[in-house]
């Protein structure tokens, strides 16, 4: 028996309960991990309220990212040994696995030996953000030196990862944030330019920064009415990668902008990469190389003890953070 977080109905953070759960011995292709830290993600909050790509089956577990030590391995697992320090890649459904606990099962294909330079909090804050940004920006959009990339919700962990990856390949990251409150943080995080969309003219400023051409790549987790401005700020032949639905308002299709400028709007989810072994290997190698070189550096916004998982989710939904919310497990 171990502590695990489950919920028995959809709703706000208060539906999360720490319960005693049975964690069996790992089966074929599985490992059991003694968890040291958890990385929280917006997708988990959406799943908790019933607004995600899959519906919870009660009692439901959740949690995509964890870091800790291997406590047991399945009978056919050869790449890991008891005691290995590892972190978990989001590559599974919550119907099968959930990382919110102090002892958890995970599929071995979703487990990585992270660099020894990472502490537990940073290791738990790595894979969702960097693989999400890598798949969209590098593998799909082929972001490269000289490109401009617009990054809405740039203070999120994925937004910060996108800034770092853009800088790593020599592109110019333009961070978008609602107000100027986070401008200094985003500049310090490596954004070449920061636009406060509620205070500035998004299209006019992007055109000024790009010599009237617009950004070739847009990496948007929001959707909603701002899509109309994003298409106007996107270059001819550019691509808008839509990987989230944070806005509760309808997302318009600015048809004449898209047609007239031959733009691509591409829906994207991380799981098209983490469920494909070849793509996952490419992304993992890119991220590990970036971590080793120091080009990729997870930023922790705030940590909470495991017993405060409800408070951690409240903070996650406050939008106050710049970076990753992490829960430490004693």
């Amino acid at each position: 028996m171990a502590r695990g977080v489950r919920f028995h109905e959809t709703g706000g953070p208060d539906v999360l309960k720490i319960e005693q759960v049975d964690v069996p011995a790992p089966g074929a292709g599985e490992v059991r991990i003694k968890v040291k830290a958890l990385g929280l993600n917006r997708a988990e909050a959406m799943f908790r309220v019933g607004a995600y790509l899959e519906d919870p089956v009660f009692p439901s577990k959740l949690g995509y990212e964890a870091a800790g030590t291997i406590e047991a391995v399945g009978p056919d697992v050869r790449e890991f040994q008891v005691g290995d320090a590892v972190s978990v890649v989001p590559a599974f459904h919550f119907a099968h696995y959930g990382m919110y606990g102090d002892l958890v099962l995970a599929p071995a294909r979703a487990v990585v030996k992270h660099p020894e330079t990472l502490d537990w909090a940073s290791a738990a804050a790595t894979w969702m953000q960097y693989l999400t940004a890598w798949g969209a920006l590098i593998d799909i959009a082929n972001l490269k030196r000289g490109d401009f990339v617009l990054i809405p919700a740039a203070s999120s962990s994925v937004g910060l990862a996108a800034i770092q990856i853009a800088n790593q390949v020599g592109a110019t990251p333009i961070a978008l944030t609602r107000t100027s409150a986070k401008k200094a943080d985003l500049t310090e995080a490596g954004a070449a330019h920061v636009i406060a969309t509620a205070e500035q003219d998004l299209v006019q400023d992007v055109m000024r920064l790009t010599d009237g051409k617009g950004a070739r790549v847009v990496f948007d987790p929001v959707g909603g009415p701002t899509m109309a401005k994003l298409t106007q700020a996107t270059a001819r032949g550019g691509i808008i990668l839509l990987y989230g639905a944070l806005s509760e308002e309808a997302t318009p299709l600015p048809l004449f902008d898209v047609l007239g400028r031959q733009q691509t709007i591409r829906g994207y989810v991380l799981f098209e990469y983490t469920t494909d072994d070849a793509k996952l290997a490419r992304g993992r190698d890119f991220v590990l190389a970036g971590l080793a070189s120091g080009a990729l550096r997870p930023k922790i916004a705030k940590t909470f003890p495991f017993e405060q998982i409800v408070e951690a989710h409240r903070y996650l939904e406050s939008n106050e953070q710049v970076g990753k919310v992490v829960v430490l497990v004693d």
Side-chain angles (χ1 to χ4, degrees):
M1 301 294 290
R3 294 181 302 170
V5 176
R6 300 195 299 183
F7 60 106
H8 299 257
E9 60 181 330
T10 57
D14 287 334
V15 303
L16 299 177
K17 308 297 180 185
I18 298 177
E19 302 175 342
Q20 289 294 311
V21 296
D22 178 45
V23 184
E30 292 182 329
V31 297
R32 193 163 62 187
I33 300 172
K34 184 176 178 61
V35 176
K36 302 292 186 180
L38 306 168
L40 303 194
N41 295 286
R42 181 70 63 169
E44 293 150 11
M46 295 175 69
F47 180 69
R48 190 200 69 228
V49 300
Y52 192 48
L53 296 171
E54 57 181 298
D55 295 323
V57 177
F58 303 117
S60 180
K61 49 187 171 283
L62 77 168
Y64 277 131
E65 292 185 282
T69 57
I70 298 288
E71 192 260 357
V73 299
D76 61 341
V77 174
R78 301 289 179 264
E79 62 269 38
F80 299 106
Q81 304 293 326
V82 172
D84 284 346
V86 296
S87 47
V88 180
V89 176
F92 47 84
H93 295 289
F94 290 138
H96 304 134
Y97 301 97
M99 296 300 113
Y100 284 13
D102 50 22
L103 189 67
V104 299
L105 290 178
R109 67 173 300 275
V111 175
V112 176
K113 295 179 184 178
H114 55 258
E116 294 180 358
T117 54
L118 293 184
D119 59 22
W120 293 121
S122 296
T126 291
W127 294 105
M128 175 69 86
Q129 61 174 320
Y130 289 121
L131 282 179
T132 299
W134 169 83
L137 298 181
I138 304 302
D139 203 61
I140 295 174
N142 190 29
L143 188 70
K144 58 187 180 299
R145 184 172 299 279
D147 284 337
F148 287 87
V149 53
L150 296 187
I151 306 171
S155 60
S156 69
S157 58
V158 177
L160 297 178
I163 290 171
Q164 292 179 14
I165 287 175
N167 284 324
Q168 184 179 6
V169 300
T172 301
I174 302 175
L176 306 186
T177 185
R178 197 175 66 83
T179 72
S180 57
K182 296 177 180 178
K183 266 193 170 185
D185 290 317
L186 290 168
T187 300
E188 183 181 355
H193 309 281
V194 181
I195 297 174
T197 57
E199 303 168 6
Q200 299 172 242
D201 188 313
L202 169 59
V203 178
Q204 180 177 309
D205 282 0
V206 171
M207 288 303 173
R208 175 178 56 81
L209 293 170
T210 61
D211 293 328
K213 297 178 181 178
R216 189 179 73 81
V217 180
V218 179
F219 185 46
D220 180 34
V222 182
T226 304
M227 180 60 65
K229 293 183 179 179
L230 290 179
T231 58
Q232 294 173 41
T234 301
R236 181 178 298 275
I239 181 170
I240 299 173
L241 294 139
L242 189 60
Y243 72 99
L246 294 179
S247 175
E248 297 180 355
E249 299 181 66
T251 301
L253 176 63
L255 185 58
F256 287 105
D257 285 326
V258 174
L259 289 175
R261 300 181 187 182
Q262 300 85 57
Q263 296 169 346
T264 297
I265 298 178
R266 210 284 201 178
Y268 164 71
V269 294
L270 173 63
F271 297 101
E272 61 186 276
Y273 282 85
T274 60
T275 56
D276 182 303
D277 286 340
K279 292 180 179 179
L280 176 57
R282 293 202 307 273
R284 183 189 62 225
D285 291 347
F286 179 93
V287 174
L288 288 174
L291 292 169
S293 71
L296 305 183
R297 304 172 306 283
K299 179 175 177 57
I300 310 301
K302 191 172 183 178
T303 63
F304 292 82
F306 184 71
E307 295 76 14
Q308 293 181 12
I309 188 68
V310 170
E311 290 79 1
H313 262 245
R314 287 199 186 106
Y315 183 70
L316 176 71
E317 294 184 315
S318 73
N319 295 323
E320 296 175 15
Q321 72 273 22
V322 177
K324 194 82 163 186
V325 181
V326 172
V327 170
L328 303 178
V329 182
D330 184 358

